[in-house]
Structure formats: structure tokens, C-alpha cells
Amino acid sequence: MKSILFLGPYGNLTTLYASILTLHPSIIGLNHARDRIPPEAMFYDGQNISIKYNNFINFVLDNQQRSDIGHAGGSFEKAHASRKGELKELEDISTYTSKNPTHFVWKESGFLTSQLRQNACIKRILEEIPGAVFIRPIRNPLHWLKTNLIAQHFELYDDTWGKGFVTEAQASSPIALSQWYLRDLQWFLRLREQYSHRFIIHFETQPFDNIVKQLNLQTTDLWLEIANAVAGKIRHRECDLHLAEVFNSALAFYAGDAYSRITADFIAPVLAYRQ
């Protein structure tokens, strides 16, 4: 079975996008559940990867059979995107279960990203799990900043330099969070340069077709039409000029198409209000 694994920080549209994919007829999903994964299924620790990955697949399949599992335990049916009704149109024509799944989605992005870096095992995983594909959404980073300043997921974020995890002080600092966000994105983009077909980057300003096409998923026109509409229902936050200035300052150290698009799509329109 092929895996679709979300990377990057929390509060970055991973729940919305993973929930949509899980409503594809060939895909089943696992939402969080890191605290329930047995040691023999922790393929992301870099040890006995192939064996543990097969155990992880069985864990995902077993999870699909349990209807009592809530938000932290694995069910996308009880994820916040579903509870708030954002997926209703797609739920009306789809189901979260599949009799013959060909793919599974795991959404535990911040935790998984940190584990892969801390255990220095991403390249071995790519070699031993040829069916693994990684997705890194790009939400408006100013909205992401606000979400993370409130939620403070620092206990699950590594510092990107392999020296530990993000501290509470860093998680409260727009400057430190902006710098962390860009280092985390740079790590993903470097892998994407080496393994372009294994690493998918998706801007919130793109239609959901972008993900579907890169995953080579077969869909009906109706499913894709509704998926595109649902993916556009992003809960926005007010864009703060100060946050835009802070993030733009951190961006000055980066160059490339992704960073240019972040500037054009999200940062420049806010900074334009200074004029």
C-alpha cells in the first residue's frame, strides 16, 4: 500500500487537505494517533524500516475498523474540519472507509517532520519505502504565524538544526517562528530538488487538482469539482502588518521560486498597505 505523509508545521492546512484525500474512494486515513503507535510500527525511528512500515500499515488498517476513536486517536470523521462542517459536500458523495484501499494518508505533520530529522532517516525511508510520498502545504504564513503563536506546538517541533526542540520562548516570538518556518521549508525544498516526484508542495492559492495530479489519483469530475471547492474553504485570520514586516525580514535571506511566490501571494499585498 502506498503512503501519503504530510510534513511541515501544524496549523498549515494539513487537516483540511488530508481529510479531503481520505474521502477519495481508494484512500484511508490516520489522523494523529502518535501516542497509540506501538514501537514495532514506528518506521520513522530509522530502525528496521521495512518491517516497521508494514506493521504501521496494519495499524492503519486496524484503525479504520474502529469507530470509537476520536480526534487524538485517528479518525478523520471526528477531525475538526469534519466537525465544523467544512467537508459536508464531499462527505455527501464519499465515505471515510474503503474496501480495497491502495493508499493511506497519515496526518501528524509536525511530529513526523521532527522525527525524520532527529533520526536522520529520511533518505533511508525513501529507499526502503518506494511508495511513500510527502506533501508540504503552504498556507498563508501570516495566518500560520498567528495560529502557532496561539497554539504553541513547540513541544513537537525540532529546531531544524538537530540540537533539540523549539523552546517556549521561541514559540512566543514572531521573529523566531518566522525563521524556524523558513528553515523547515528549506529542508523540504532541498529534498524536493533531489526527489521531485516524492515531495509535493502545494500553495493554498492553487486548486486541489495540483495534489491529485501529482499523486496520480483517478477521480470523477464531480469528486474533483467538490474537492476543489472544499479545499478553498480556508479559515482566514486578519493579516497583521507587523507580522508581515517580521516575516518579510526573515525572507530576505532566501531565494527561489517558492519564496518568491510566498512574497507575491501573501506578504506583498499586506505590505502594500504601508504605501
Side-chain angles (χ1 to χ4, degrees), residues 20 25 34 69 91 126 141 152 159 183 188 221 228 248 264 266:
I20 292 171
R34 64 180 178 274
I69 299 172
E91 289 171 336
L126 289 167
Q152 296 211 330
D159 65 5
R183 291 196 306 272
F188 187 94
D221 291 343
N228 277 325
N248 191 54
F266 307 122

Side-chain angles (χ1 to χ4, degrees), residues 76-179:
F76 275 100
E77 292 181 72
K78 298 180 181 179
H80 63 74
S82 179
R83 295 199 312 271
K84 294 181 178 180
E86 295 168 5
L87 300 164
K88 186 179 183 308
E89 296 165 85
L90 203 56
E91 289 171 336
D92 287 344
I93 65 164
S94 308
T95 175
Y96 287 98
T97 60
S98 174
K99 292 182 179 179
N100 298 296
T102 58
H103 298 68
F104 73 83
V105 170
W106 185 29
K107 196 227 82 174
E108 187 62 279
S109 54
F111 169 80
L112 180 58
T113 304
S114 294
Q115 292 296 310
L116 295 177
R117 282 200 288 250
Q118 290 280 309
N119 294 312
C121 62
I122 182 65
K123 293 193 176 181
R124 279 179 286 141
I125 283 176
L126 289 167
E127 291 171 0
E128 296 191 39
I129 311 176
V133 176
F134 299 88
I135 299 178
R136 207 292 190 179
I138 295 186
R139 180 188 187 183
N140 184 326
L142 304 183
H143 298 167
W144 173 83
L145 265 176
K146 279 206 166 185
T147 296
N148 277 259
L149 286 168
I150 295 168
Q152 296 211 330
H153 292 297
F154 63 93
E155 293 176 341
L156 297 173
Y157 292 166
D158 70 313
D159 65 5
T160 72
W161 284 315
K163 298 178 181 178
F165 287 80
V166 175
T167 66
E168 188 169 1
Q170 290 171 316
S172 302
S173 164
I175 296 174
L177 273 181
S178 296
Q179 294 169 339

Side-chain angles (χ1 to χ4, degrees), residues 214-232:
Q214 291 191 68
L215 289 173
N216 293 316
L217 294 173
Q218 300 301 311
T219 68
T220 65
D221 291 343
L222 177 61
W223 189 94
L224 191 58
E225 178 185 348
I226 297 176
N228 277 325
V230 171

Side-chain angles (χ1 to χ4, degrees), residues 250-261:
L251 262 175
F253 296 93
Y254 295 85
D257 292 344
Y259 306 109
S260 296
R261 181 161 186 171

Side-chain angles (χ1 to χ4, degrees), residues 185-202:
L185 177 58
Q186 183 182 51
W187 174 80
F188 187 94
L189 290 173
R190 284 175 174 170
L191 287 165
R192 187 168 178 260
E193 287 177 2
Q194 299 176 64
Y195 310 95
S196 58
H197 63 293
R198 306 285 295 277
F199 290 84
I200 296 171
I201 196 163
H202 179 79

Side-chain angles (χ1 to χ4, degrees), residues 16 66 93 263:
L16 178 62
R66 299 182 58 188
I93 65 164
T263 299

